[in-house]
């Protein structure tokens, strides 16, 4: 039996760095699992669109698709936008929507990778406060998840970890940086909990101007690619069961 096609569903952005980073991540996913067909579709701003990819797959005779939201939390896009787009897919396609990427221990590992790439070392953890800076959401569930990730990450040895949001919620990155300074952390680092560059990550970077360290976005980190494959495998299992594979 052919494996279902993995369709990575990205938000899209007017910022060309966004699509370039998404494609870099998809290339890493392909490198980790040769033979798995991985396609990319965008909800807005970029091509190909999700609907266009689904129509092309249907025309080729593909029948099984796992649609994976390239999102870190279950907010509006995962709960509303993506299901609505998938509902308009050609009826011959059997589609299962995978879970969003977060939370995951692998994403925490990717965050630490980016912090170490920015100049920190494991020996710095106990004296460093970290701002977990996310894009933000008006969805209370998504905000609660970010706060819980910050609490869990604190227990891995950092001096302190505070969540921050670039939009919709407070505190902002610069406020969290000030709070960590007031706590007495010897240094403050900002870890963007975002997948690709764009307007909100740029806002996070501006808010980090008083921090000692600013990490890069998660992007095509190998841990992120592994999370994509974990979510694909979990979503694929019911499809296989349904056809008796």
């Amino acid at each position: 039996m052919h494996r279902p096609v993995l369709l990575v569903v990205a938000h899209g952005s007017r910022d060309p760095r966004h699509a370039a980073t998404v494609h870099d991540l998809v290339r890493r996913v392909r490198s980790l699992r040769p033979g798995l067909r991985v396609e990319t579709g965008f909800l807005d701003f970029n091509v190909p669109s999700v609907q266009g990819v689904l129509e092309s797959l249907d025309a080729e005779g593909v029948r099984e698709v796992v649609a994976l939201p390239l999102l870190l939390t279950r907010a509006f896009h995962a709960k509303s936008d993506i299901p609505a787009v998938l509902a308009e897919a050609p009826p011959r396609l059997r589609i299962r929507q995978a879970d969003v990427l977060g939370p995951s221990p692998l994403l925490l590992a990717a965050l630490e990778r980016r912090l170490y790439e920015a100049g920190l070392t494991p020996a710095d953890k106990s004296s460093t406060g970290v701002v977990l800076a996310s894009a933000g959401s008006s969805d209370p569930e998504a905000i609660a998840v970010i706060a819980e990730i910050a609490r869990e990450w604190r227990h891995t040895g950092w001096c302190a970890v505070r969540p921050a949001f670039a939009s919709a919620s407070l505190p902002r990155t610069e406020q969290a940086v000030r709070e960590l300074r007031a706590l007495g952390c010897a240094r403050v680092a900002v870890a963007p909990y975002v997948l690709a560059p764009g307007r909100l990550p740029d806002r996070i970077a501006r808010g980090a101007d008083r921090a000692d360290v600013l990490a890069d976005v998660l992007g095509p980190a190998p841990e992120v690619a592994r999370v994509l494959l974990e979510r694909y495998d979990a979503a694929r299992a019911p499809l296989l069961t349904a056809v008796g594979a």
Side-chain angles (χ1 to χ4, degrees):
M1 175 188 171
H2 293 293
R3 286 181 286 187
V5 171
L6 169 56
L7 172 58
V8 176
V9 180
H11 182 274
S13 171
R14 292 186 177 89
D15 189 322
R17 297 173 298 168
H18 174 89
T21 302
V22 170
H23 291 310
D24 285 344
L25 175 58
V26 168
R27 279 191 288 270
R28 188 176 287 275
V29 172
R30 291 186 183 121
S31 73
L32 290 178
R33 190 166 296 181
L36 173 62
R37 181 172 179 181
V38 187
E39 299 291 343
T40 308
F42 295 91
L43 291 173
D44 206 353
F45 301 117
N46 303 105
V47 293
S49 68
V50 175
Q51 187 66 26
V53 174
L54 292 172
E55 290 173 357
S56 295
L57 292 174
D58 177 63
E60 290 179 32
V62 171
R63 292 295 170 259
E64 307 287 346
V65 176
V66 170
L68 195 159
L70 197 60
L71 301 168
L72 294 172
T73 59
R74 269 187 53 78
F76 179 77
H77 295 301
K79 295 177 178 179
S80 180
D81 282 358
I82 293 176
V85 171
L86 299 180
E88 298 297 320
R92 290 177 296 182
L93 287 176
R94 180 193 293 267
I95 303 174
R96 187 167 184 87
Q97 182 175 327
D99 286 338
V100 297
L101 304 185
S104 167
L106 284 170
L107 294 178
L108 286 182
L111 286 166
E112 295 205 355
R113 170 190 291 275
R114 294 303 189 222
L115 285 170
Y116 297 151
E117 289 171 350
L120 293 179
T121 71
D124 296 324
K125 290 184 75 168
S126 63
S127 58
T128 302
V130 179
V131 178
L132 179 67
S134 75
S137 173
S138 58
D139 188 308
E141 178 187 349
I143 297 303
V145 166
I146 299 299
E148 179 60 26
I149 292 170
R151 283 191 291 269
E152 291 181 4
W153 202 16
R154 162 68 182 83
H155 295 311
T156 67
W158 296 101
C159 174
V161 180
R162 293 289 185 272
F165 308 94
S167 68
S169 303
L170 295 174
R172 295 286 185 259
T173 301
E174 53 269 30
Q175 293 172 292
V177 169
R178 288 196 297 268
E179 181 180 347
L180 290 171
R181 293 277 188 219
L183 282 175
C185 298
R187 67 185 62 79
V188 176
V190 174
Y193 190 59
V194 292
L195 289 165
R199 178 176 57 87
L200 294 179
D202 285 349
R203 185 178 295 172
I204 290 171
R206 290 193 296 272
D209 63 347
R210 301 281 179 129
D212 301 294
V213 173
L214 171 62
D216 199 359
V217 298
L218 295 173
E223 296 86 356
V224 178
R226 287 168 56 197
V227 176
L228 264 71
L229 290 172
E230 284 188 356
R231 299 294 184 255
Y232 168 80
D233 290 337
R236 180 191 179 206
L239 286 174
L240 297 177
T241 302
V243 297

